[in-house]
mmCIF file of all heavy atoms in Angstrom:
data_model
loop_
_atom_site.group_PDB
_atom_site.id
_atom_site.type_symbol
_atom_site.label_atom_id
_atom_site.label_comp_id
_atom_site.label_asym_id
_atom_site.label_seq_id
_atom_site.Cartn_x
_atom_site.Cartn_y
_atom_site.Cartn_z
ATOM 1 N N TRP A 147 15.221 -39.399 24.265
ATOM 2 C CA TRP A 147 13.901 -39.276 24.226
ATOM 3 C C TRP A 147 13.183 -39.821 25.336
ATOM 4 O O TRP A 147 12.259 -39.147 25.998
ATOM 5 C CB TRP A 147 13.426 -39.839 22.897
ATOM 6 C CG TRP A 147 11.968 -39.917 22.652
ATOM 7 C CD1 TRP A 147 10.992 -39.137 23.227
ATOM 8 C CD2 TRP A 147 11.246 -40.809 21.714
ATOM 9 N NE1 TRP A 147 9.695 -39.275 22.645
ATOM 10 C CE2 TRP A 147 9.792 -40.505 21.831
ATOM 11 C CE3 TRP A 147 11.606 -41.903 20.959
ATOM 12 C CZ2 TRP A 147 8.897 -41.239 21.139
ATOM 13 C CZ3 TRP A 147 10.557 -42.711 20.406
ATOM 14 C CH2 TRP A 147 9.261 -42.270 20.398
ATOM 15 N N GLN A 148 13.608 -40.919 25.787
ATOM 16 C CA GLN A 148 12.965 -41.671 27.030
ATOM 17 C C GLN A 148 13.664 -41.239 28.340
ATOM 18 O O GLN A 148 13.035 -41.625 29.414
ATOM 19 C CB GLN A 148 13.014 -43.176 26.671
ATOM 20 C CG GLN A 148 12.206 -43.561 25.631
ATOM 21 C CD GLN A 148 10.572 -43.288 25.818
ATOM 22 O OE1 GLN A 148 10.007 -43.646 26.850
ATOM 23 N NE2 GLN A 148 9.901 -42.695 24.821
ATOM 24 N N GLY A 149 14.789 -40.527 28.284
ATOM 25 C CA GLY A 149 15.390 -40.323 29.407
ATOM 26 C C GLY A 149 16.057 -41.486 30.244
ATOM 27 O O GLY A 149 15.953 -41.591 31.409
ATOM 28 N N LYS A 150 16.573 -42.331 29.427
ATOM 29 C CA LYS A 150 17.115 -43.581 30.154
ATOM 30 C C LYS A 150 18.403 -44.064 29.498
ATOM 31 O O LYS A 150 18.619 -43.935 28.248
ATOM 32 C CB LYS A 150 16.172 -44.842 29.874
ATOM 33 C CG LYS A 150 14.809 -44.582 30.414
ATOM 34 C CD LYS A 150 13.809 -45.710 30.038
ATOM 35 C CE LYS A 150 12.450 -45.406 30.617
ATOM 36 N NZ LYS A 150 11.322 -46.386 30.267
ATOM 37 N N SER A 151 19.336 -44.596 30.293
ATOM 38 C CA SER A 151 20.468 -45.297 29.988
ATOM 39 C C SER A 151 21.503 -44.559 29.082
ATOM 40 O O SER A 151 22.236 -45.303 28.226
ATOM 41 C CB SER A 151 20.096 -46.708 29.205
ATOM 42 O OG SER A 151 19.251 -47.432 30.110
ATOM 43 N N GLU A 152 21.501 -43.258 29.055
ATOM 44 C CA GLU A 152 22.268 -42.552 28.097
ATOM 45 C C GLU A 152 23.826 -42.754 28.440
ATOM 46 O O GLU A 152 24.734 -42.768 27.675
ATOM 47 C CB GLU A 152 22.004 -41.118 28.023
ATOM 48 C CG GLU A 152 22.342 -40.201 29.228
ATOM 49 C CD GLU A 152 21.637 -40.558 30.456
ATOM 50 O OE1 GLU A 152 20.644 -41.199 30.456
ATOM 51 O OE2 GLU A 152 22.185 -40.230 31.628
ATOM 52 N N SER A 153 24.016 -42.975 29.770
ATOM 53 C CA SER A 153 25.398 -43.048 30.343
ATOM 54 C C SER A 153 26.244 -44.162 29.675
ATOM 55 O O SER A 153 27.370 -44.117 29.320
ATOM 56 C CB SER A 153 25.425 -43.104 31.769
ATOM 57 O OG SER A 153 24.670 -44.356 32.222
ATOM 58 N N VAL A 154 25.591 -45.362 29.357
ATOM 59 C CA VAL A 154 26.267 -46.484 28.693
ATOM 60 C C VAL A 154 26.674 -46.102 27.502
ATOM 61 O O VAL A 154 27.715 -46.493 26.944
ATOM 62 C CB VAL A 154 25.213 -47.727 28.670
ATOM 63 C CG1 VAL A 154 25.891 -48.884 27.995
ATOM 64 C CG2 VAL A 154 24.941 -48.122 30.129
ATOM 65 N N LEU A 155 25.842 -45.541 26.655
ATOM 66 C CA LEU A 155 26.218 -45.125 25.195
ATOM 67 C C LEU A 155 27.146 -44.010 25.176
ATOM 68 O O LEU A 155 28.127 -44.125 24.380
ATOM 69 C CB LEU A 155 24.909 -44.592 24.574
ATOM 70 C CG LEU A 155 23.726 -45.667 24.446
ATOM 71 C CD1 LEU A 155 22.450 -45.008 24.030
ATOM 72 C CD2 LEU A 155 24.066 -46.629 23.478
ATOM 73 N N LEU A 156 27.160 -43.028 26.099
ATOM 74 C CA LEU A 156 28.188 -42.080 26.185
ATOM 75 C C LEU A 156 29.441 -42.616 26.571
ATOM 76 O O LEU A 156 30.608 -42.189 25.899
ATOM 77 C CB LEU A 156 27.765 -40.878 27.115
ATOM 78 C CG LEU A 156 26.589 -40.078 26.740
ATOM 79 C CD1 LEU A 156 26.131 -39.116 27.920
ATOM 80 C CD2 LEU A 156 26.829 -39.233 25.545
ATOM 81 N N ARG A 157 29.561 -43.524 27.391
ATOM 82 C CA ARG A 157 30.965 -44.119 27.851
ATOM 83 C C ARG A 157 31.378 -44.957 26.550
ATOM 84 O O ARG A 157 32.677 -45.128 26.470
ATOM 85 C CB ARG A 157 30.682 -45.062 29.023
ATOM 86 C CG ARG A 157 30.519 -44.354 30.217
ATOM 87 C CD ARG A 157 30.758 -45.260 31.433
ATOM 88 N NE ARG A 157 29.897 -46.418 31.493
ATOM 89 C CZ ARG A 157 28.683 -46.527 32.110
ATOM 90 N NH1 ARG A 157 28.283 -45.485 32.768
ATOM 91 N NH2 ARG A 157 27.942 -47.647 32.002
ATOM 92 N N SER A 158 30.583 -45.314 25.695
ATOM 93 C CA SER A 158 31.017 -46.091 24.512
ATOM 94 C C SER A 158 31.283 -45.150 23.305
ATOM 95 O O SER A 158 31.507 -45.699 22.284
ATOM 96 C CB SER A 158 29.975 -47.107 24.161
ATOM 97 O OG SER A 158 29.688 -48.033 25.260
ATOM 98 N N GLY A 159 31.296 -43.848 23.511
ATOM 99 C CA GLY A 159 31.683 -42.955 22.442
ATOM 100 C C GLY A 159 30.558 -42.414 21.669
ATOM 101 O O GLY A 159 30.884 -41.991 20.423
ATOM 102 N N ALA A 160 29.328 -42.594 22.050
ATOM 103 C CA ALA A 160 28.074 -42.137 21.084
ATOM 104 C C ALA A 160 28.291 -40.555 20.860
ATOM 105 O O ALA A 160 28.684 -39.854 21.668
ATOM 106 C CB ALA A 160 26.701 -42.500 21.769
ATOM 107 N N SER A 161 27.949 -40.194 19.745
ATOM 108 C CA SER A 161 28.076 -38.904 19.178
ATOM 109 C C SER A 161 26.936 -38.053 19.823
ATOM 110 O O SER A 161 25.733 -38.331 19.545
ATOM 111 C CB SER A 161 28.012 -38.747 17.723
ATOM 112 O OG SER A 161 28.042 -37.314 17.348
ATOM 113 N N VAL A 162 27.186 -37.033 20.700
ATOM 114 C CA VAL A 162 26.194 -36.175 21.279
ATOM 115 C C VAL A 162 25.671 -35.245 20.321
ATOM 116 O O VAL A 162 24.485 -34.687 20.458
ATOM 117 C CB VAL A 162 26.761 -35.515 22.478
ATOM 118 C CG1 VAL A 162 27.197 -36.423 23.664
ATOM 119 C CG2 VAL A 162 27.883 -34.499 22.156
ATOM 120 N N ASN A 163 26.321 -35.058 19.076
ATOM 121 C CA ASN A 163 25.761 -34.030 18.170
ATOM 122 C C ASN A 163 25.338 -34.649 16.853
ATOM 123 O O ASN A 163 25.283 -34.069 15.867
ATOM 124 C CB ASN A 163 26.809 -32.839 18.002
ATOM 125 C CG ASN A 163 26.879 -32.007 19.123
ATOM 126 O OD1 ASN A 163 25.866 -31.542 19.874
ATOM 127 N ND2 ASN A 163 28.151 -31.683 19.501
ATOM 128 N N GLY A 164 25.231 -36.019 16.967
ATOM 129 C CA GLY A 164 24.715 -36.740 15.822
ATOM 130 C C GLY A 164 23.287 -36.207 15.377
ATOM 131 O O GLY A 164 22.375 -36.060 16.197
ATOM 132 N N VAL A 165 22.996 -36.017 14.065
ATOM 133 C CA VAL A 165 21.857 -35.356 13.639
ATOM 134 C C VAL A 165 20.894 -36.454 12.953
ATOM 135 O O VAL A 165 21.425 -37.139 12.102
ATOM 136 C CB VAL A 165 22.159 -34.318 12.658
ATOM 137 C CG1 VAL A 165 20.867 -33.560 12.198
ATOM 138 C CG2 VAL A 165 22.999 -33.197 13.263
ATOM 139 N N SER A 166 19.639 -36.528 13.254
ATOM 140 C CA SER A 166 18.581 -37.403 12.628
ATOM 141 C C SER A 166 18.093 -36.632 11.290
ATOM 142 O O SER A 166 18.504 -35.502 10.971
ATOM 143 C CB SER A 166 17.405 -37.610 13.590
ATOM 144 O OG SER A 166 16.729 -36.370 13.723
ATOM 145 N N LEU A 167 17.308 -37.394 10.627
ATOM 146 C CA LEU A 167 16.721 -36.641 9.379
ATOM 147 C C LEU A 167 15.936 -35.515 9.672
ATOM 148 O O LEU A 167 15.773 -34.608 8.737
ATOM 149 C CB LEU A 167 15.896 -37.748 8.601
ATOM 150 C CG LEU A 167 16.720 -38.978 8.097
ATOM 151 C CD1 LEU A 167 15.708 -39.810 7.310
ATOM 152 C CD2 LEU A 167 17.945 -38.568 7.234
ATOM 153 N N ASP A 168 15.481 -35.315 10.806
ATOM 154 C CA ASP A 168 14.549 -34.168 11.205
ATOM 155 C C ASP A 168 15.486 -33.090 11.766
ATOM 156 O O ASP A 168 15.026 -32.020 12.158
ATOM 157 C CB ASP A 168 13.595 -34.549 12.269
ATOM 158 C CG ASP A 168 12.472 -35.249 11.675
ATOM 159 O OD1 ASP A 168 12.065 -35.116 10.467
ATOM 160 O OD2 ASP A 168 11.890 -36.122 12.455
ATOM 161 N N GLY A 169 16.758 -33.296 11.747
ATOM 162 C CA GLY A 169 17.729 -32.304 12.305
ATOM 163 C C GLY A 169 17.918 -32.261 13.822
ATOM 164 O O GLY A 169 18.576 -31.341 14.303
ATOM 165 N N HIS A 170 17.297 -33.301 14.441
ATOM 166 C CA HIS A 170 17.492 -33.446 15.885
ATOM 167 C C HIS A 170 18.797 -33.939 16.282
ATOM 168 O O HIS A 170 19.215 -34.991 15.760
ATOM 169 C CB HIS A 170 16.257 -34.301 16.482
ATOM 170 C CG HIS A 170 15.003 -33.724 16.351
ATOM 171 N ND1 HIS A 170 13.941 -34.486 15.992
ATOM 172 C CD2 HIS A 170 14.539 -32.517 16.561
ATOM 173 C CE1 HIS A 170 12.846 -33.735 15.785
ATOM 174 N NE2 HIS A 170 13.193 -32.541 16.261
ATOM 175 N N ILE A 171 19.406 -33.328 17.292
ATOM 176 C CA ILE A 171 20.463 -34.017 18.071
ATOM 177 C C ILE A 171 19.743 -34.543 19.335
ATOM 178 O O ILE A 171 18.713 -34.149 19.743
ATOM 179 C CB ILE A 171 21.665 -32.977 18.442
ATOM 180 C CG1 ILE A 171 21.168 -31.820 19.340
ATOM 181 C CG2 ILE A 171 22.252 -32.593 17.182
ATOM 182 C CD1 ILE A 171 22.369 -31.017 19.852
ATOM 183 N N PRO A 172 20.440 -35.503 19.977
ATOM 184 C CA PRO A 172 19.790 -36.003 21.305
ATOM 185 C C PRO A 172 19.367 -35.006 22.238
ATOM 186 O O PRO A 172 18.242 -35.167 22.967
ATOM 187 C CB PRO A 172 20.908 -36.798 21.932
ATOM 188 C CG PRO A 172 21.677 -37.394 20.658
ATOM 189 C CD PRO A 172 21.685 -36.181 19.710
ATOM 190 N N LEU A 173 20.029 -33.779 22.413
ATOM 191 C CA LEU A 173 19.700 -32.731 23.351
ATOM 192 C C LEU A 173 18.244 -32.077 22.966
ATOM 193 O O LEU A 173 17.554 -31.655 23.861
ATOM 194 C CB LEU A 173 20.697 -31.631 23.376
ATOM 195 C CG LEU A 173 20.536 -30.546 24.354
ATOM 196 C CD1 LEU A 173 20.522 -31.130 25.836
ATOM 197 C CD2 LEU A 173 21.674 -29.609 24.274
ATOM 198 N N HIS A 174 17.913 -32.058 21.625
ATOM 199 C CA HIS A 174 16.606 -31.658 21.177
ATOM 200 C C HIS A 174 15.581 -32.477 21.863
ATOM 201 O O HIS A 174 14.567 -31.933 22.420
ATOM 202 C CB HIS A 174 16.502 -31.743 19.699
ATOM 203 C CG HIS A 174 17.010 -30.570 18.968
ATOM 204 N ND1 HIS A 174 18.269 -30.668 18.218
ATOM 205 C CD2 HIS A 174 16.592 -29.320 18.741
ATOM 206 C CE1 HIS A 174 18.373 -29.549 17.638
ATOM 207 N NE2 HIS A 174 17.494 -28.717 17.787
ATOM 208 N N LEU A 175 15.739 -33.801 21.888
ATOM 209 C CA LEU A 175 14.638 -34.683 22.401
ATOM 210 C C LEU A 175 14.664 -34.615 23.914
ATOM 211 O O LEU A 175 13.549 -34.622 24.464
ATOM 212 C CB LEU A 175 14.980 -36.067 21.893
ATOM 213 C CG LEU A 175 14.929 -36.211 20.398
ATOM 214 C CD1 LEU A 175 15.444 -37.587 19.891
ATOM 215 C CD2 LEU A 175 13.468 -36.021 19.808
ATOM 216 N N ALA A 176 15.886 -34.531 24.495
ATOM 217 C CA ALA A 176 15.811 -34.487 25.968
ATOM 218 C C ALA A 176 15.243 -33.210 26.517
ATOM 219 O O ALA A 176 14.542 -33.235 27.519
ATOM 220 C CB ALA A 176 17.277 -34.679 26.479
ATOM 221 N N ALA A 177 15.444 -32.019 25.788
ATOM 222 C CA ALA A 177 14.896 -30.845 26.159
ATOM 223 C C ALA A 177 13.377 -30.842 25.974
ATOM 224 O O ALA A 177 12.634 -30.384 26.766
ATOM 225 C CB ALA A 177 15.502 -29.745 25.436
ATOM 226 N N GLN A 178 12.912 -31.205 24.846
ATOM 227 C CA GLN A 178 11.453 -31.212 24.544
ATOM 228 C C GLN A 178 10.662 -32.099 25.599
ATOM 229 O O GLN A 178 9.591 -31.635 26.048
ATOM 230 C CB GLN A 178 11.280 -31.855 23.175
ATOM 231 C CG GLN A 178 9.680 -31.821 22.756
ATOM 232 C CD GLN A 178 9.475 -32.225 21.341
ATOM 233 O OE1 GLN A 178 10.445 -31.989 20.518
ATOM 234 N NE2 GLN A 178 8.334 -32.779 21.040
ATOM 235 N N TYR A 179 11.274 -33.218 26.042
ATOM 236 C CA TYR A 179 10.459 -33.995 26.943
ATOM 237 C C TYR A 179 10.895 -33.763 28.333
ATOM 238 O O TYR A 179 10.440 -34.599 29.301
ATOM 239 C CB TYR A 179 10.618 -35.569 26.528
ATOM 240 C CG TYR A 179 10.006 -35.817 25.246
ATOM 241 C CD1 TYR A 179 10.667 -35.774 23.951
ATOM 242 C CD2 TYR A 179 8.528 -36.044 25.140
ATOM 243 C CE1 TYR A 179 9.940 -36.002 22.869
ATOM 244 C CE2 TYR A 179 7.953 -36.254 23.926
ATOM 245 C CZ TYR A 179 8.643 -36.238 22.640
ATOM 246 O OH TYR A 179 7.955 -36.378 21.539
#
């Protein structure tokens, strides 16, 4: 959402397709903003 520090989380195995209650994956937020 903020366009920051995603690399640290990705290196730690964060799920890129994890879904929020609104159905957003992180790519939804990066694309919208």
Side-chain angles (χ1 to χ4, degrees):
W147 176 24
Q148 292 297 310
K150 299 175 179 177
S151 301
E152 78 291 341
S153 58
V154 177
L155 295 167
L156 290 171
R157 287 197 301 269
S158 299
S161 173
V162 295
N163 292 316
V165 181
S166 72
L167 295 184
D168 288 331
H170 293 132
I171 61 173
L173 187 58
H174 278 105
L175 298 170
Q178 178 173 337
Y179 291 94

